[in-house]
Amino acid sequence: MTTSSVPVVAEKTAGNRLRRKRSAPKGTPDGLRKDSIETTATSRIAVTAVLALTAVYFLFPLWWLFVAATKDAGFTFSGSPLWFSNFDLFGNIQDLFAYKDGIFAVWMANSALYSIVGAGLGTLIAVATGYALAKYEFRGKGLLFGVVLGAVLIPKVLFTLPLFLMFSATGIVNTYFAVLLPSIVSPFGVYLGRIFAASSVPDEVIEAARLDGANEGRIFFGVSLKMMAPALVTIFLFQFVEIWNNFLLPSQVLISENLRPVTVGLVSWNALVQAGQIERHMVIIGAFVAVVPLIVAFLSLQRFWRSGLAAGAIK
């Protein structure tokens, strides 16, 4: 560009700005209509109101559960249902863990075992499968991914009876494996693993590692997994919550009281309430204590799973 052309470009730019300012209504930013500003503000208020109502809707049962758990056994349903009275939270927790030689602690430990081990192994398998579907080319890849998507659409309730018959034939009913083995299979985790692998691990990094002499196992465990750390936490949390809240399968394949997770144990206590063999406040305080690990897991790992969800959304 010559020196003489610079003033011409500057003059045209200034003229364009002047025309935009003249055409824009008074009291509004350059080129932005007043009704657009009002519409944007109205939409923000509406979205905020909807989100606030949704938060109240989901948090309301937790608040009631917390307030009811703090009340003394004889005052569970007396006074205000949404505010504190006759506070005895720590006494209730002590009674909970002392009942029947601490059977509730056994149930909590079983739930932790099923959830941590099942979610850990399930996350590793799901991420490895999703990584293979995203980064490798092989015969039947499209068909395999279609089967995975089909499995996502099938409710897991439908697998309960076939799994029970299978475990009965193999002799693992009423063992830890009857709950752990189905827990490590997650079609939805495979789907998320494929999305995260495609968005988080560039093909150039894999090719560079291969040129450096690294084998596929070292590339996956030493390079790819580190790059997919937020995705791992996201899949782990989904798996953890699903296994922790699982009720139907454990209730069918577990007979011994000492092998039950906390969900099955609390339902069995609720049946005893109807028979008058246990007080209802034991079920309420047990439900509150059972929710605490889920809240702690989400609050402690929110930095990772939020970034993992954002990565999946971008893809």
Side-chain angles (χ1 to χ4, degrees):
M1 180 181 296
T2 62
T3 306
S4 60
S5 63
V6 174
V8 176
V9 175
E11 183 179 356
K12 290 182 178 179
T13 304
N16 293 334
R17 291 178 180 175
L18 181 60
R19 283 192 294 271
R20 286 200 301 267
K21 288 182 179 180
R22 290 176 178 176
S23 61
K26 293 183 179 180
T28 63
D30 187 15
L32 186 62
R33 296 170 53 185
K34 184 177 180 180
D35 56 348
S36 300
I37 301 177
E38 294 176 352
T39 303
T40 302
T42 303
S43 62
R44 289 178 179 176
I45 295 174
V47 171
T48 303
V50 171
L51 292 177
L53 291 175
T54 304
V56 171
Y57 175 79
F58 284 104
L59 294 177
F60 179 81
L62 291 177
W63 176 253
W64 177 87
L65 182 64
F66 174 60
V67 172
T70 61
K71 295 183 178 182
D72 187 60
F75 302 91
T76 303
F77 298 101
S78 64
S80 175
L82 298 178
W83 198 246
F84 305 98
S85 62
N86 305 103
F87 189 89
D88 193 23
L89 174 62
F90 302 106
N92 291 337
I93 294 177
Q94 184 177 0
D95 295 339
L96 175 69
F97 284 95
Y99 182 76
K100 292 188 67 174
D101 298 327
I103 189 62
F104 184 81
V106 176
W107 294 342
M108 289 289 289
N110 291 337
S111 290
L113 173 65
Y114 297 140
S115 301
I116 295 175
V117 176
L121 294 176
T123 299
L124 182 60
I125 295 174
V127 170
T129 307
Y131 176 83
L133 289 172
K135 297 301 178 181
Y136 295 117
E137 295 295 334
F138 52 90
R139 182 177 299 178
K141 173 182 174 180
L143 177 61
L144 178 60
F145 186 63
V147 172
V148 172
L149 291 180
V152 172
L153 300 177
I154 300 177
K156 289 192 174 182
V157 177
L158 300 180
F159 294 107
T160 302
L161 181 58
L163 286 174
F164 176 77
L165 297 176
M166 186 187 304
F167 294 158
S168 298
T170 55
I172 62 173
V173 171
N174 199 36
T175 64
Y176 289 109
F177 293 104
V179 178
L180 285 175
L181 289 179
S183 300
I184 65 177
V185 179
S186 174
F188 185 64
V190 174
Y191 172 72
L192 291 179
R194 182 182 184 275
I195 294 177
F196 290 135
S199 61
S200 303
V201 184
D203 294 335
E204 294 78 6
V205 174
I206 299 177
E207 292 299 329
R210 289 171 180 168
L211 291 176
D212 290 338
N215 56 34
E216 298 301 324
R218 185 176 181 182
I219 294 174
F220 176 70
F221 289 100
V223 179
S224 301
L225 281 185
K226 294 180 181 179
M227 301 178 70
M228 297 175 63
L232 293 174
V233 176
T234 303
I235 298 174
F236 178 85
L237 279 176
F238 276 114
Q239 282 285 91
F240 184 89
V241 173
E242 181 180 353
I243 299 172
W244 186 277
N245 293 329
N246 191 13
F247 166 75
L248 185 59
L249 180 64
S251 66
Q252 300 299 317
V253 299
L254 298 178
I255 301 174
S256 174
E257 189 178 40
N258 292 325
L259 296 178
R260 293 174 179 173
V262 67
T263 51
V264 179
L266 288 175
V267 171
S268 66
W269 275 4
N270 192 56
L272 295 178
V273 171
Q274 307 299 329
Q277 300 180 18
I278 189 175
E279 297 184 11
R280 186 173 294 277
H281 89 284
M282 295 288 286
V283 180
I284 294 176
I285 186 63
F288 170 72
V289 174
V291 171
V292 172
L294 300 179
I295 299 176
V296 172
F298 268 92
L299 292 180
S300 60
L301 299 175
Q302 63 175 340
R303 178 168 61 93
F304 297 97
W305 67 265
R306 288 173 62 183
S307 59
L309 287 178
I314 292 174
K315 182 62 179 178

